[in-house]
């Protein structure tokens, strides 16, 4: 594994906790931090390349467009259909199972887009602490 040094500023309390933990483990703080980041990062699921590319463009979008994305949802009909298909799991035809998978994929993609839009809107100063804003 090739390593690249990165400097990160941390709150004093967290830096102290890292030093204490590194002392308990009898290892350098930099090794502890590196291992924590690598362990966490490797546990994160990857997104399909088309979704990654789409999300990469989000910072360039207007606030208005990001709000639209953040409020996107399955249609009422799609939600009802997905609920019915989920209730019948195990009794579905191949066609119904394929439709269920398609709806689940659509739902997952909507949620990832919404989350990314919300993160960007929050970084632009919008208060998203009230769930009804979304």
């Amino acid at each position: 594994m090739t390593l690249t040094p990165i400097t990160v500023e941390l709150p004093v309390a967290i830096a102290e906790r890292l030093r204490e933990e590194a002392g308990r483990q009898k290892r350098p703080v930099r090794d502890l931090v590196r291992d924590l980041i690598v362990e966490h990062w490797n546990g994160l699921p990857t997104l399909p390349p088309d979704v990654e590319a789409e999300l990469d463009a989000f910072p360039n979008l207007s606030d208005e467009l990001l709000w639209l994305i953040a409020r996107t949802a399955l249609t009422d009909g799609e939600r009802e259909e997905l609920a019915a298909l989920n209730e019948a799991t195990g009794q579905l035809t191949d066609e119904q199972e394929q439709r269920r998978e398609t709806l689940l994929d659509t739902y997952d993609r909507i949620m990832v887009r919404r989350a990314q839009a919300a993160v960007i809107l929050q970084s632009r100063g919008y208060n998203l602490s009230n769930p009804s804003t979304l």
Side-chain angles (χ1 to χ4, degrees), residues 52-97:
E52 288 283 355
E54 183 180 348
L55 297 179
D56 286 345
F58 275 33
N60 301 320
L61 299 178
S62 69
D63 292 356
E64 294 78 19
L65 191 51
L66 288 169
W67 277 111
L68 286 173
I69 293 167
R71 292 177 173 143
T72 300
L74 290 175
T75 66
D76 290 342
E78 289 171 328
R79 277 195 305 274
E80 290 170 11
E81 182 182 5
L82 181 56
L85 291 169
N86 282 336
E87 285 180 23
T89 299
Q91 306 166 12
L92 300 175
T93 65
D94 289 343
E95 184 179 305
Q96 289 171 320
E97 183 60 36

Side-chain angles (χ1 to χ4, degrees), residues 103-133:
L103 287 169
L104 284 172
D105 182 61
T106 300
Y107 175 80
D108 289 345
R109 287 171 181 260
I110 287 171
M111 295 310 294
V112 168
R113 288 181 191 116
R114 287 182 63 168
Q116 183 68 15
V119 165
I120 294 168
L121 287 167
Q122 191 167 25
S123 75
R124 292 182 183 177
Y126 290 97
N127 181 353
L128 302 178
S129 60
N130 182 350
S132 68
T133 61

Side-chain angles (χ1 to χ4, degrees), residues 18-50:
L18 285 168
R19 280 189 210 95
E20 290 171 6
E21 182 60 28
R24 275 193 287 279
Q25 293 184 21
K26 296 182 178 18
R27 57 195 292 218
V29 173
R30 70 177 179 275
D31 292 352
L32 174 64
V33 171
R34 181 193 60 234
D35 291 349
L36 286 170
I37 292 170
V38 168
E39 179 181 316
H40 175 75
W41 202 265
N42 286 337
L44 295 175
T46 58
L47 295 171
D50 63 317

